[in-house]
Amino acid sequence: MKFSELIMGYLGNHLATIATGTFAAILTGLWPIFVDFAPLLDFIFIMAVPITWFLTFTCWIAQKSTDYTHNHPTHIATEKKSLNRPRQVSQMYTADGKQASQNEIKEAKTELSDQLNSLKDTVKIKDEEIERLNQEISNLQTLVQIESLKAELANLKTLASKS
């Protein structure tokens, strides 16, 4: 891990805010010392100190906004925890919104494979297209995907009946 990543992790990505705030604090501290030297320096400090504090506030608000919109963790430990979370298994649903079981999905896969094999015998389709559909059938996860593949097979059947 790089030093800059480590620092940014511990500071919660507020490095710009801290750097600007430190500069503003130093200018604020130096202002009383240089007041008596020249009126031009007094004018410079009158302009620079509020501007740097405004920039500090702007950096802080911008980082808070970014953290809020992107849900970034503010500490490196929480970041590691979020990366190590186990992946949740998604629920299987039909196009109607009903929950499907693994057995229903397996049955639909075998039904689609049978339909594709029968279509292969009746129609001279490109071998690559059939292989791609077989690959899609083996990768099916939800009944929604199965129904979309059924629609594609129906289109192929209509094309076969026209020729």
Side-chain angles (χ1 to χ4, degrees):
M1 179 180 283
K2 294 180 184 177
F3 180 71
S4 61
E5 292 172 355
L6 184 67
I7 294 297
M8 289 297 282
Y10 283 112
L11 297 179
N13 293 330
H14 285 282
L15 187 60
T17 306
I18 291 171
T20 310
T22 303
F23 182 63
I26 289 171
L27 281 179
T28 304
L30 289 177
W31 189 2
I33 297 171
F34 290 107
V35 166
D36 296 330
F37 284 111
L40 182 62
L41 279 178
D42 193 33
F43 177 73
I44 290 172
F45 276 102
I46 287 172
M47 296 301 289
V49 169
I51 289 170
T52 54
W53 282 116
F54 175 75
L55 287 174
T56 302
F57 177 73
T58 304
C59 288
W60 180 75
I61 287 293
Q63 186 59 50
K64 285 294 186 185
S65 172
T66 302
D67 289 344
Y68 178 77
T69 56
H70 296 291
N71 294 328
H72 284 166
T74 56
H75 194 273
I76 197 165
T78 58
E79 194 171 310
K80 285 182 181 178
K81 286 180 187 174
S82 66
L83 291 176
N84 293 333
R85 261 188 275 156
R87 199 169 152 217
Q88 293 179 351
V89 178
S90 61
Q91 296 291 327
M92 310 295 177
Y93 292 98
T94 64
D96 305 344
K98 297 177 183 175
Q99 192 169 0
S101 68
Q102 289 291 343
N103 291 334
E104 290 174 325
I105 291 175
K106 286 179 185 177
E107 288 173 13
K109 282 182 183 182
T110 56
E111 179 184 328
L112 284 173
S113 295
D114 294 341
Q115 286 180 4
L116 186 60
N117 289 334
S118 67
L119 185 62
K120 182 180 177 181
D121 294 338
T122 59
V123 182
K124 301 295 183 195
I125 304 175
K126 294 179 184 175
D127 289 337
E128 297 90 25
E129 182 70 15
I130 291 175
E131 190 58 40
R132 182 188 66 80
L133 288 174
N134 274 327
Q135 184 64 33
E136 282 188 28
I137 289 171
S138 65
N139 291 334
L140 290 174
Q141 296 289 325
T142 64
L143 288 178
V144 174
Q145 292 173 333
I146 291 170
E147 289 180 18
S148 69
L149 197 57
K150 281 183 181 179
E152 193 172 337
L153 281 173
N155 289 339
L156 287 174
K157 286 181 181 179
T158 56
L159 287 174
S161 64
K162 287 180 182 178
S163 34

